[in-house]
């Protein structure tokens, strides 16, 4: 159950839903057992310099080694940066949930 966060300055014309969907697609291409990526977008009304930051958080698994992370990071950076058409600072970070993380679906 990966999570993707997209934080960007509000002066950028960004299709957040399309970017989050593409991140989900990229993750599944690299790891078809990853599960659905939960995505959130946070446009910042107050900011200092135009920027876009992507953070993807994954569960730690043995196959998610350095080679896996490097390939995933490179594809996310390459594909998502093409969707940003205005000058800005752009960052991508991969992270792992702590061992003390739990997740489940809640239905009422």
């Amino acid at each position: 159950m990966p999570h993707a966060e997209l934080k960007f300055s509000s002066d950028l014309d960004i299709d957040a839903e399309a970017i989050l969907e593409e991140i989900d697609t990229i993750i599944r291409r690299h790891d078809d057992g990853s599960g659905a990526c939960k995505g959130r977008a946070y446009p910042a009304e107050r900011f200092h310099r135009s920027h876009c930051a992507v953070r993807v958080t994954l569960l730690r698994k043995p196959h998610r080694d350095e080679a896996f992370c490097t390939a995933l990071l490179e594809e996310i950076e390459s594909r998502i940066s093409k969707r940003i058409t205005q000058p800005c600072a752009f960052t991508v970070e991969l992270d792992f949930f702590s061992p003390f993380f739990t997740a489940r679906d809640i239905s009422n």
Side-chain angles (χ1 to χ4, degrees):
M1 168 186 314
H3 288 221
E5 291 186 344
L6 175 63
K7 297 178 182 179
F8 57 96
S9 52
S10 62
D11 64 326
L12 299 176
D13 183 23
I14 287 183
D15 186 344
E17 291 83 4
I19 288 174
L20 293 169
E21 182 64 36
E22 184 153 13
I23 291 169
D24 183 35
T25 299
I26 294 166
I27 293 169
R28 289 175 187 251
R29 185 173 24 261
H30 285 262
D31 185 353
D32 62 358
S34 66
C37 181
K38 311 311 185 265
R40 293 168 297 284
Y42 303 98
E45 292 299 322
R46 296 173 149 178
F47 59 90
H48 179 65
R49 298 193 178 104
S50 299
H51 66 279
C52 178
V54 174
R55 183 175 188 186
V56 175
T57 309
L58 307 161
L59 289 173
R60 243 182 237 289
K61 295 192 175 182
H63 67 279
R64 293 179 179 162
D65 57 10
E66 185 175 342
F68 171 89
C69 290
T70 298
L72 181 61
L73 180 68
E74 287 175 356
E75 185 172 0
I76 291 172
E77 189 281 328
S78 173
R79 304 252 327 245
I80 301 309
S81 65
K82 291 176 183 166
R83 291 182 168 271
I84 301 169
T85 59
Q86 298 160 272
C88 68
F90 177 66
T91 60
V92 179
E93 176 184 14
L94 293 183
D95 196 11
F96 290 96
F97 291 110
S98 95
F100 303 102
F101 171 82
T102 186
R104 65 186 175 95
D105 289 329
I106 297 175
S107 57
N108 295 329

